[in-house]
Amino acid sequence: MQYRTVPKNGDSLSALGFGAMRLPTKRGNIDEERASRLIRHAIDQGVNYIDTAFSYHGGESEKILGRILTNGYREKVKLATKLPPWNVQTREDMDKILSIQLKRLQTDHIDYYLLHSLNSGSWKKFQDLGVFEFLESAQQAGLIKNIGFSFHGDRKTFREIIDAYDWTFCQIQYNILDEENQAGKDGLLYAASKNIAVMVMEPLRGGMLAEKVPKEVRHIYEKSGSLRAAAAFGLSWVWNHPEVTVVLSGMNDETHLAENIATCDAATPGSLSDMDIQVIDDARDVYTKMMKVGCTGCSYCTPCPFGVNIPMCFYFYNQYHMLGDKLMTRGFYSMQLMGGMGSPGNASLCRQCGKCVSKCPQNIPIPEELKKVAKTMDGLTTKLVFMIAKRMFGSSIKNE
């Protein structure tokens, strides 16, 4: 197993982390026996970083992890979980949630504790509610060890958050398609310049870059003569960055686990050849041509006077047309842009004022494109998915 060091505390973490957001299921519930077998085998093979959240699997992920990590396995790993802004309405809620998490996970401390899925709205909400006092109080009490955040916003907000606190780590979405989206490479390098460890989520875009690969992309990989599978190309590209500390993978299949461990062993920083990188660039070009809007997520168009989160609207619109699981994309769009995680920022809020157009370096006719986004993403289907997503992610903070 390859290990990388957290700059601020010296922890040696497996470059491959186990993400517990998509555990194997059976008849709609987590298949605990299989999940236990997968996670314990991963730990036996050297994986020592496990990531979950209060809301994953409707709260069941933390509970099941607590049971899996008994019999000495808890001591072998660094455990990460998250404080969800959508469940927090008061300062007291933060303490209640952490107490529930410790009980669920059957542990007396969380090694890596994150503010979950920050964007400009949830960041402001947390600050207004006194989140730093909570974090430092919990840290002084030994309930949490390292403080960080996960992020789904624009680059400007990412830098603002990085500069606001002495974080040990952060978690960003980064893959061959998101080099310029959300925090992007700019964010990766900026965090690393501050000695902040970077954990990468969605390295394969929820499996899109490994499964249901377009035939044009498959042809590029096959023509290269490399024996790497599509997943190995995608993961190797992320690990090729020395600034990345841990890459999280939601390994719900024994074959995926074995393949990812093998890839991790070989994918050290700088291990990709110039030819490998060119192959990946060619694959990215094919994916880019499939995108509906050529938005790079630079955020020059923001803030919108009517509250539209323009870059994220385009991000999810593109993902909707490229990703196999359209319902999941609707769920994330609704939670992040229709009020599930803070103030709404969905496309239907656009009033066609046109102030954003002159600011766009890509010359995108933003109001016209937002009409298309609203027509596709803001309808009844998404609203129904939003109701389901709120039930799934809105775990109770009553004492359990």
Side-chain angles (χ1 to χ4, degrees), residues 112-116 135 146-150 167-171:
Y112 286 79
Y113 199 67
L114 302 90
L115 305 184
H116 197 174
L135 291 171
N146 300 286
I147 296 171
F149 66 94
S150 67
W167 310 99
T168 299
F169 71 113
C170 66
Q171 187 168 306

Side-chain angles (χ1 to χ4, degrees), residues 228 233 236-238 240 268-274 276-277 280:
R228 290 187 183 93
F233 268 111
S236 296
W237 182 87
V238 181
N240 202 53
T268 53
S271 60
L272 290 183
S273 68
D274 290 343
D276 292 329
I277 292 172
I280 292 168

